[in-house]
Amino acid sequence: CFFRCAESGVAAKVVAAVDVNTTANEIYKHNFPNTPLLPKTIEGMTLDDFNKLSFDMILMSPPCQPFTRIGLQGDISDPRTKSFLYILDLLPRLTKLPRFILLENVKGFETSSARDSLVKMLKECGYNYQELMVSPTCLGMPNSRLRYFMIAKAPPGSFSFHTTSEIQEGFPQPADKVLLEPSSLISPNHKEDEGGILYKLERAQDAERKISQNRDQSLRQISVYLEDQGEGEMEQYLLPTKTLLRYALLMDIVRPTCRRSVCFTKGYGHYVEGTGSVLQSCMETDVAFKSPERLSDEEKLNQLSRLKLRYFSPREIANLMGFPKHFTVPKNISTKQQYRVLGNSLNVHVVARLIELLVS
């Protein structure tokens, strides 16, 4: 939250950060040693505890598992919503209502009973609010990470844009006129390298959609976010032989010249399907073969190995999610732990823009 407030240009002091994830807390404390960090559940804080903090803004990211499309969608019957429901009950009883509220969750939250409870509380307290669905692609970043956001202002506050009861896609006016960075990041004379269809099982329309995304000049190339490190340093991220043979048909493969990548999840580096894109780091070859069933394992591996497919490093994923260069991780935090924390994180640039909209 500190990075997001800083980038938004809003002068703010974080009075407390609350989380039970020990790894996330260790990383947070490493970067912000002077910020009060409370390693406890929200339910472990009393009304008096909250009143003593006397905060103007609350940024919430409740557990997403009860609402994710691939989960059980237990909604408010899932015990993991307990902290969120506790906040909804507590906020109206505070001595001073927070002036600003920002909430994030996965797509699916917008149809939940938990969301209905949130809206009910906001209306009862007189908040003006707006619901949005935003992905970093709205800011020219080559990574899809669609998320639900709610921004709310306490009375008599109002927004600088027209609010609606409908969920807006992208940023509302007037912010969208300054969404993208200068076009100097994108070479107008660059000829897009689309390459051949790699060893993939995907529908023709899926392949065409990816080609179309890579032609979108409003998005920067992935190369902007890659780390300039020696080849030897990146070998640790090369996909293992067993993974190549078993999952090559399911991977989302991108190149440095691509302008797209799929959402990175906490399972990245451990699971393959649906957890994030992998990078084709060798650009000197264009392997295309459409009948892999005719090849032996040795032949398949020979073809795939030439691509030098690798995982994005945690630092590269952090770059794609807008974390500044001075954001670092303690040396004792493993690569797997970094992937898990990043997969549960938010895009810094997106949240910074929302904070700017919220307080302007």
Side-chain angles (χ1 to χ4, degrees):
C1 57
F2 188 93
F3 289 140
R4 294 151 194 156
C5 288
E7 183 178 327
S8 68
V10 176
K13 175 185 177 182
V14 180
V15 296
V18 186
D19 206 314
V20 295
N21 186 300
T22 55
T23 302
N25 284 342
E26 188 173 354
I27 295 172
Y28 191 91
K29 197 67 178 177
H30 176 75
N31 286 275
F32 310 110
N34 299 320
T35 299
L37 178 60
L38 308 179
K40 58 170 66 178
T41 63
I42 289 292
E43 311 94 280
M45 299 178 65
T46 65
L47 179 62
D48 188 50
D49 292 331
F50 276 93
N51 280 326
K52 287 178 180 177
L53 292 173
S54 187
F55 53 91
D56 292 313
M57 177 185 293
I58 182 168
L59 298 93
M60 297 185 283
S61 186
C64 65
Q65 294 91 338
F67 317 107
T68 182
R69 288 170 289 178
I70 60 174
L72 297 176
Q73 298 180 324
D75 204 339
I76 57 175
S77 64
D78 190 311
R80 287 168 290 194
T81 60
K82 186 178 179 180
S83 59
F84 176 63
L85 297 176
Y86 179 76
I87 283 285
L88 295 188
D89 175 67
L90 182 141
L91 281 177
R93 297 187 285 119
L94 290 173
T95 302
K96 181 188 72 172
L97 281 176
R99 293 172 59 197
F100 310 106
I101 296 175
L102 191 157
L103 177 139
E104 175 272 347
N105 216 286
V106 294
K107 179 173 174 55
F109 181 86
E110 75 279 8
T111 59
S112 69
S113 296
R115 174 265 177 195
D116 295 341
S117 297
L118 170 63
V119 170
K120 181 174 182 292
M121 183 277 290
L122 293 174
K123 288 181 176 178
E124 289 176 350
C125 293
Y127 279 91
N128 288 309
Y129 66 89
Q130 181 62 61
E131 298 174 279
L132 309 106
M133 286 288 184
V134 184
S135 174
T137 53
C138 292
L139 294 173
M141 305 183 77
N143 180 242
S144 298
R145 195 176 185 84
L146 185 65
R147 291 294 184 268
Y148 168 93
F149 292 95
M150 165 81 80
I151 54 176
K153 272 187 176 182
S158 60
F159 291 106
S160 60
F161 56 87
H162 176 68
T163 59
T164 171
S165 59
E166 301 295 321
I167 298 177
Q168 294 195 28
E169 293 187 8
F171 294 98
Q173 293 280 2
D176 59 0
K177 65 183 179 183
V178 292
L179 287 183
L180 299 180
E181 297 296 325
S183 58
S184 58
L185 285 172
I186 301 172
S187 171
N189 298 319
H190 175 76
K191 183 179 180 181
E192 198 62 52
D193 178 14
E194 294 171 359
I197 301 297
L198 300 176
Y199 181 41
K200 289 283 294 172
L201 276 182
E202 60 185 7
R203 297 173 301 174
Q205 54 264 47
D206 292 329
E208 180 57 38
R209 172 178 52 81
K210 292 177 181 180
I211 291 174
S212 177
Q213 289 173 329
N214 285 332
R215 289 173 177 161
D216 187 349
Q217 294 287 302
S218 71
L219 301 175
R220 305 180 196 101
Q221 292 184 352
I222 286 175
S223 58
V224 174
Y225 302 88
L226 299 180
E227 290 296 293
D228 186 17
Q229 295 180 319
E231 187 175 335
E233 293 183 48
M234 287 303 183
E235 283 186 358
Q236 61 180 308
Y237 301 112
L238 289 173
L239 271 65
T241 299
K242 188 179 296 185
T243 302
L244 283 174
L245 287 175
R246 185 173 181 181
Y247 296 107
L249 293 172
L250 305 174
M251 296 172 187
D252 181 73
I253 301 172
V254 296
R255 301 180 178 195
T257 53
C258 286
R259 303 182 190 275
R260 51 159 292 276
S261 61
V262 298
C263 180
F264 295 100
T265 74
K266 66 179 183 179
Y268 190 68
H270 182 64
Y271 300 105
V272 175
E273 187 176 8
T275 60
S277 302
V278 296
L279 184 71
Q280 178 189 336
S281 52
C282 180
M283 298 292 288
E284 297 176 359
T285 181
D286 185 19
V287 179
F289 50 101
K290 300 179 181 180
S291 303
E293 67 280 355
R294 299 177 184 175
L295 302 177
S296 66
D297 284 352
E298 184 178 354
E299 290 171 321
K300 292 177 189 175
L301 185 60
N302 179 58
Q303 293 275 45
L304 290 166
S305 296
R306 291 167 54 198
L307 299 175
K308 294 188 178 181
L309 299 176
R310 70 167 176 87
Y311 294 111
F312 284 81
S313 71
R315 179 64 252 184
E316 290 169 335
I317 295 176
N319 293 343
L320 282 164
M321 296 182 69
F323 284 86
K325 287 294 183 182
H326 59 266
F327 168 78
T328 57
V329 176
K331 292 182 178 179
N332 64 299
I333 304 297
S334 69
T335 299
K336 181 178 179 180
Q337 288 175 309
Q338 291 182 61
Y339 283 143
R340 289 184 64 84
V341 172
L342 286 166
N344 283 327
S345 189
L346 288 78
N347 186 285
V348 174
H349 295 318
V350 169
V351 178
R353 184 56 52 84
L354 290 171
I355 292 175
E356 183 183 345
L357 283 172
L358 186 57
V359 304
S360 63

